[in-house]
Amino acid sequence: MQPIRTFNVSPSLPPRLEPLRRLAYNLHWDWNVESKDLFRRLDPDLWESSHHNPVLMLGTISQGRLLEVVEDEGFLAQMDRANRQLEDYLQERTWYQKQRSQQPKECYAYFSAEFGLVDCLPIYSGGLGVLAGDHLKSASDLGLPLVGVGLLYQQGYFAQYLNADGWQQERYLSNDFYNMPLHLERNSDGSELRIAVEYPGRKVYARVWRVQVGMVPLYMLDTNIEPNNPYDHDITDQLYGGDIDMRIHQEMMLGIGGVQMLKALGYNVTAYHMNEGHAGFSALERIRILMQEEKLNYAQARQIVASSNIFTTHTPVPAGIDLFAPDKMLYYLGHYAEIFGLPKEQFLGLGRENTGDLSGPFSMAVLALKMATFSNGVAQLHGVVSRQMFQGLWKKVPVEEVPIAAITNGVHARSCVAKSTQELYDRYLGPNWSSLPPDNQLWERMDAIPDEELWRNHERCRLDMILYVRDHLVKHLRDRGASASEIDQAQEVLDPNVLTIGFARRFATYKRATLWMRDLERIKRILLGNKNRKVQFVIAGKAHPKDIPGKELIRDINHFIHEQHLEKQVVFVPNYDIHIARLMVAGCDIWLNTPRRPREASGTSGMKAAMNGLPNLSVLDGWWDEADYVRTGWAIGHGENYDDPNYQDEIEANALYELLEKEVVPLFYDHRDVDGLPRWWVAKMKDAIRLNCPFFNTARMVREYAQRAYFPASDRYHTLTADNYAPVKELAAWKAKLSEDWFNIKIKDIDVSAAADIEVNQTVTVKAKIDLSTLTNDDVQVELYQGAINPNGDIVNATPVVMHHQGQDGQKLSTYTADITYTTSGLQGLSLRVLPRNQYLSSPYEPRLIAWAE
């Protein structure tokens, strides 16, 4: 029976408890201990059964309980404290205000296909989403004028359960948006705010929901509404669900719909951040708006868009990039080519590395790179990999100078560190530990934390995790209809006094979740060989529903557990989520990571573990490659790359066993004092906290994004759009002339003062004569490019030296000179290059033009 009318029924709270509503609808409660404890205190069982959803709690709790707490002076005092803390947080003078107090009004938009914020908003799949959520939290902590843009999925990502054979099964549960910490955005007349996106032959409508993340609003689009047809309802149904057509539908809604949504909400965005290529279509929509509404031509509109876009890639392999066939791109988005006045092949070239490959697919990463003023990988090693992957977009630019930077990921400290551990840090390090930089003297206070206090706190965290795992497994087995003996066995898994290794991540094959099982007899000896030095594993993670090899890894682990009768020593925890992750990174003793280098872009779970004092045991990939892996953990291997993956697995599995047998297990068990304290292990825990916590966190990461990307992009936007777009019109005209004349540049003569044999630090004078054709010295920068010569005859580790313009000779050749020296001996070399120069360029590589001496 269909209703003739619907109502959104809000919780009914006594007036004295109204602050609870405000606290519930701002996710600040997730990283504020006082607020989270308040809701847990209100009804502990309901807090757990609601998946820590305070809005659902307030809607389902009995009125009798509410009337009880109205008379509870202690509860009211805590509520008032939490409310004051939220108010103080929202009003405090922030880092951003101190940095940009003199700047014109600005706004940064952060687009992501998923956001992992809290476990009661299951609209994320893994690390990418949790990183996006942490990005918003730290943007709020720093006071950045940032808004999030995403899709609100009706079913989100799947809930995982295992059948009796250990095979992953998926269950999709519908999210009840009206009982989540979400606000439906409305127009001034009370009607729903909606936007419409053009799809082939129809418009698709979406309404707008907001979740308040501290100071930062996250706006998400929802297409599950009338008058959309059933297929279009499903655009925001499942995260990463459906086929390639559904993927392009979702990315159109995210990118195009996201831009339209911000416009409808009244935001004047000055910098756009695309977190992965999923939001790349936002660039096309921004160009369209500038052309049709501001009457700019395509070159001018594209310049503004590219000058204010930021792109972060998380993909270390080409196979991870979204690719669309040319005919599909033209079917769904070909109308943009008409609006832009571009031939179809030129339009498709926006997403091709080789624009001459007329059959090549359209790459979302290539589109984003071509439409960004700042691009970055998410770890230093990943930056190297990304520059190698995309070097073809900057032809003739040395790979080390390809303009893809690296900003190493971080995690939000207050979200991932256990409550009791945070209180410990607050007592000994002070309340600002979560945001202070590595060079702050506060971190030297780590030694002031008594070893016994840190260790006993960690033992409590381990016990909390084990008790949760037992309860979680029992519930899972009962839901599956398991036998009474299996359920009884689940209540005894894991030993609170045994060295516990944690492994939890997405079950993609390159992460090698079963590497530790490669030699079954050897790992069994490590697990059970000595009754006083046992080892146990806690494992969790999901495979994508279509990733059969990933599912096979999960089944292999569960088969190993049962076939080897290791149910008490090795546990696979189903339905991994934010809550389970937080328990594991606090309760395990060591964090294991075994990706096939260099395919782990970053890997943030190990950072969370380190913040809780866990040493890492990991392959040197992602973030771990740049950490102090000697003082804060152990490195598996030495960063070698192998051509034979089977040989690599063999070598690194043996290295893992060696470390466990000879270093990890002895350090944990053998070096204990009379009180049973493993003081050497605790020293490593303290180093893990002191050396990793201040750097591998989103406070540092978001500050870096702000200073290196947001501030410059926003400033360029203001500069280029000033005076009715006069600067961008000038720049676009200059670029057009540059493209016409660039290939007429001729490097006529290079005179080097020295002979072939010189000494270290000897001055060498170089004089060059260049025919700039119709260009002038103001249009170019001439550089010497000096460095060592490698065995292939190439200049490596080069240093560019700007040459000085000395005017023109009688033949109208521009003359340039420079003095150089070499500070090291050996075979050295130099070359000469000409780069574009303009005050409005974000970098000399922006036009993708470079001339080298031959």
Side-chain angles (χ1 to χ4, degrees):
M1 180 66 68
Q2 294 293 307
I4 61 171
R5 189 174 174 189
T6 60
F7 304 90
N8 178 24
V9 181
S10 299
S12 175
L13 295 175
R16 182 67 179 89
L17 298 181
E18 270 301 316
L20 289 176
R21 192 190 311 274
R22 181 177 187 237
L23 291 168
Y25 277 97
N26 192 315
L27 295 195
H28 180 252
W29 57 257
D30 181 57
W31 68 97
N32 180 268
V33 169
E34 193 81 64
S35 299
K36 191 176 285 189
D37 278 353
L38 180 72
F39 289 113
R40 185 183 290 110
R41 176 177 180 175
L42 185 61
D43 189 325
D45 292 336
L46 189 53
W47 175 249
E48 295 301 328
S49 64
S50 69
H51 294 285
H52 314 121
N53 182 349
V55 173
L56 179 59
M57 281 186 67
L58 295 181
T60 55
I61 196 169
S62 70
Q63 290 297 119
R65 175 56 180 155
L66 293 177
L67 292 176
E68 281 181 20
V69 297
V70 165
E71 303 300 324
D72 185 336
E73 293 294 333
F75 181 89
L76 295 177
Q78 184 176 1
M79 180 187 70
D80 291 340
R81 280 197 307 274
N83 195 39
R84 282 196 304 273
Q85 287 173 5
L86 175 59
E87 185 63 30
D88 291 344
Y89 176 84
L90 296 175
Q91 297 299 323
E92 70 180 7
R93 179 169 168 76
T94 63
W95 175 85
Y96 169 80
Q97 290 171 320
K98 297 170 185 174
Q99 299 292 315
R100 302 281 281 181
S101 60
Q102 304 302 315
Q103 298 301 316
K105 189 172 182 181
E106 55 190 353
C107 173
Y108 319 137
Y110 182 87
F111 285 68
S112 183
E114 53 174 306
F115 287 90
L117 290 156
V118 289
D119 50 320
C120 67
L121 279 173
I123 54 172
Y124 62 94
S125 70
L128 176 71
V130 176
L131 174 78
D134 283 3
H135 194 110
L136 299 193
K137 291 174 182 178
S138 278
S140 172
D141 292 341
L142 296 169
L144 295 188
L146 183 140
V147 297
V149 177
L151 301 179
L152 185 61
Y153 302 98
Q154 188 69 56
Q155 294 185 338
Y157 210 50
F158 64 91
Q160 178 197 55
Y161 67 101
L162 305 180
N163 65 18
D165 190 43
W167 188 260
Q168 172 182 292
Q169 305 283 294
E170 295 87 33
R171 182 185 296 117
Y172 288 92
L173 306 174
S174 289
N175 289 320
D176 180 3
F177 299 154
Y178 292 97
N179 275 313
M180 290 178 164
L182 299 166
H183 305 265
L184 186 60
E185 291 296 303
R186 299 185 179 275
N187 296 305
S188 57
D189 62 1
S191 60
E192 292 180 356
L193 176 65
R194 294 188 173 189
I195 57 102
V197 176
E198 294 283 350
Y199 285 80
R202 70 198 190 281
K203 288 184 176 180
V204 178
Y205 297 89
R207 59 183 170 180
V208 180
W209 295 85
R210 171 173 55 89
V211 57
Q212 196 64 35
V213 187
M215 297 187 207
V216 169
L218 165 60
Y219 296 100
M220 293 175 287
L221 292 164
D222 166 21
T223 65
N224 190 17
I225 55 174
E226 301 299 333
N228 292 338
N229 64 45
Y231 182 89
D232 294 338
H233 282 197
D234 290 345
I235 292 174
T236 55
D237 187 24
Q238 294 178 4
L239 172 61
Y240 306 139
D243 56 14
I244 195 69
D245 285 280
M246 180 53 72
R247 177 61 66 90
I248 201 170
H249 273 77
Q250 290 183 327
E251 296 191 357
M252 288 174 67
M253 183 56 64
L254 174 63
I256 299 167
V259 170
Q260 291 188 11
M261 174 180 67
L262 292 172
K263 191 168 182 289
L265 288 164
Y267 284 98
N268 180 26
V269 180
T270 56
Y272 290 76
H273 186 172
M274 299 173 285
N275 188 43
E276 257 308 339
H278 307 121
F281 293 143
S282 61
L284 305 182
E285 179 64 2
R286 292 184 62 206
I287 293 172
R288 180 197 68 79
I289 291 172
L290 287 166
M291 291 181 69
Q292 293 187 338
E293 298 183 11
E294 301 298 320
K295 307 307 178 186
L296 300 180
N297 64 32
Y298 170 71
Q300 295 161 356
R302 177 178 173 175
Q303 182 65 58
I304 290 175
V305 170
S307 295
S308 53
N309 264 356
I310 294 120
F311 171 56
T312 297
T313 174
H314 299 258
T315 308
V317 289
I321 296 169
D322 283 342
L323 302 174
F324 298 119
D327 58 342
K328 202 171 290 293
M329 274 297 300
L330 293 175
Y331 175 71
Y332 285 107
L333 294 131
H335 59 287
Y336 280 102
E338 298 174 12
I339 294 169
F340 298 169
L342 299 180
K344 291 179 180 178
E345 290 304 331
Q346 189 177 346
F347 173 73
L348 291 171
L350 296 176
R352 288 172 173 160
E353 182 174 313
N354 179 6
T355 55
D357 180 7
L358 303 186
S359 63
F362 189 98
S363 164
M364 295 300 286
V366 170
L367 172 66
L369 285 164
K370 287 185 175 182
M371 292 289 179
T373 183
F374 180 89
S375 300
N376 70 283
V378 291
Q380 298 305 310
L381 179 59
H382 182 232
V384 172
V385 172
S386 298
R387 288 189 285 274
Q388 293 169 347
M389 274 179 62
F390 297 110
Q391 184 183 11
L393 288 172
W394 289 270
K395 298 186 188 307
K396 297 186 179 181
V397 173
V399 65
E400 63 270 17
E401 293 191 34
V402 167
I404 300 177
I407 295 180
T408 302
N409 277 345
V411 294
H412 189 253
R414 290 286 184 181
S415 295
C416 68
V417 175
K419 172 180 176 286
S420 61
T421 310
Q422 286 193 47
E423 291 169 344
L424 188 67
Y425 297 168
D426 287 344
R427 282 199 302 276
Y428 289 98
L429 305 180
N432 297 320
W433 62 268
S434 60
S435 60
L436 291 176
D439 58 358
N440 193 286
Q441 292 300 310
L442 168 146
W443 293 106
E444 297 309 314
R445 296 187 203 164
M446 276 302 305
D447 291 331
I449 301 178
D451 289 356
E452 184 174 19
E453 196 168 349
L454 182 63
W455 181 246
R456 300 307 174 209
N457 173 75
H458 176 67
E459 288 188 312
R460 286 193 298 272
C461 290
R462 190 194 305 125
L463 179 60
D464 288 344
M465 177 194 69
I466 290 173
L467 293 176
Y468 178 87
V469 167
R470 290 172 178 173
D471 290 344
H472 187 75
L473 286 178
V474 166
K475 182 179 184 303
H476 169 74
L477 290 169
R478 282 177 177 156
D479 290 345
R480 200 186 74 193
S483 66
S485 62
E486 284 182 283
I487 293 172
D488 289 343
Q489 190 177 56
Q491 293 174 329
E492 298 178 354
V493 300
L494 304 175
D495 185 332
N497 300 305
V498 166
L499 171 62
T500 305
I501 299 174
F503 181 98
R505 51 193 32 87
R506 188 165 50 89
F507 267 69
T509 52
Y510 78 87
K511 292 179 183 283
R512 300 189 296 180
T514 56
L515 185 70
W516 61 277
M517 291 165 39
R518 189 173 178 89
D519 185 333
L520 295 183
E521 292 307 314
R522 193 168 181 185
I523 193 62
K524 282 177 65 179
R525 287 198 301 272
I526 292 170
L527 289 167
L528 303 172
N530 185 323
K531 67 178 182 179
N532 296 318
R533 294 172 54 175
K534 290 184 178 181
V535 176
Q536 58 194 13
F537 279 80
V538 180
I539 303 167
K542 297 177 178 179
H544 188 278
K546 295 180 182 178
D547 183 3
I548 301 304
K551 290 184 175 184
E552 289 172 344
L553 293 176
I554 294 174
R555 184 188 60 189
D556 290 347
I557 290 172
N558 283 282
H559 279 195
F560 167 75
I561 292 170
H562 297 303
E563 290 169 1
Q564 304 298 325
H565 307 293
L566 293 170
E567 288 85 356
K568 290 187 178 181
Q569 286 78 29
V570 183
V571 174
F572 185 91
V573 185
N575 205 28
Y576 184 53
D577 62 10
I578 285 177
H579 182 59
I580 293 172
R582 291 176 180 177
L583 287 165
M584 287 184 64
V585 297
C588 292
D589 294 300
I590 194 165
W591 201 252
L592 178 65
N593 189 26
T594 51
R596 182 169 283 119
R597 177 186 161 104
R599 296 190 59 183
E600 184 78 272
S602 171
T604 52
S605 62
M607 301 175 186
K608 297 171 188 173
M611 284 192 176
N612 282 279
L614 274 63
N616 273 258
L617 174 59
S618 175
V619 170
L620 289 174
D621 201 5
W623 78 281
W624 190 236
D625 185 63
E626 59 193 90
D628 187 333
Y629 45 79
V630 174
R631 294 174 63 187
T632 73
W634 294 269
I636 301 171
H638 303 285
E640 304 93 343
N641 294 326
Y642 300 84
D643 294 328
D644 182 348
N646 187 60
Y647 178 70
Q648 181 176 359
D649 291 352
E650 183 71 21
I651 292 294
E652 292 179 347
N654 285 329
L656 170 60
Y657 299 140
E658 287 281 318
L659 286 168
L660 288 172
E661 292 165 342
K662 297 180 178 178
E663 297 193 37
V664 177
V665 174
L667 188 70
F668 186 84
Y669 284 111
D670 294 353
H671 301 282
R672 302 209 173 199
D673 62 16
V674 293
D675 297 320
L677 239 66
R679 293 198 180 272
W680 289 9
W681 186 275
V682 173
K684 193 172 278 284
M685 289 178 65
K686 287 184 174 181
D687 280 341
I689 299 163
R690 172 175 31 227
L691 299 177
N692 293 323
C693 191
F695 183 79
F696 296 105
N697 69 65
T698 43
R700 185 273 311 159
M701 182 193 83
V702 175
R703 280 196 298 263
E704 201 169 338
Y705 273 109
Q707 292 168 328
R708 298 179 63 184
Y710 297 163
F711 296 172
S714 182
D715 290 343
R716 274 193 293 277
Y717 177 86
H718 283 299
T719 297
L720 293 176
T721 58
D723 300 326
N724 195 30
Y725 301 101
V728 78
K729 292 175 182 177
E730 177 187 327
L731 179 58
W734 177 83
K735 274 190 171 182
K737 183 178 185 302
L738 187 77
S739 296
E740 288 180 4
D741 297 343
W742 186 261
F743 296 99
N744 294 323
I745 292 175
K746 300 290 187 295
I747 300 172
K748 292 288 190 176
D749 181 64
I750 303 175
D751 179 46
V752 181
S753 66
D757 296 316
I758 61 173
E759 296 180 352
V760 169
N761 292 326
Q762 178 180 332
T763 299
V764 178
T765 299
V766 181
K767 181 178 180 181
K769 292 189 176 183
I770 302 173
D771 180 359
L772 295 178
S773 185
T774 59
L775 298 176
T776 71
N777 175 64
D778 292 335
D779 298 321
V780 300
Q781 179 162 298
V782 180
E783 295 178 344
L784 292 178
Y785 192 75
Q786 66 172 109
I789 304 296
N790 70 7
N792 296 324
D794 297 321
I795 298 176
V796 293
N797 301 320
T799 301
V801 177
V802 176
M803 301 190 76
H804 304 289
H805 184 233
Q806 305 296 343
Q808 290 185 332
D809 66 9
Q811 298 177 308
K812 295 189 176 179
L813 298 179
S814 295
T815 302
Y816 293 86
T817 61
D819 291 334
I820 60 170
T821 59
Y822 291 94
T823 57
T824 57
S825 59
L827 188 61
Q828 305 281 339
L830 68 82
S831 186
L832 182 146
R833 65 187 184 183
V834 184
L835 293 165
R837 179 172 62 181
N838 187 287
Q839 62 173 326
Y840 296 126
L841 286 181
S842 59
S843 92
Y845 302 124
E846 182 185 315
R848 290 183 165 81
L849 296 171
I850 186 169
W852 287 92
E854 295 180 355

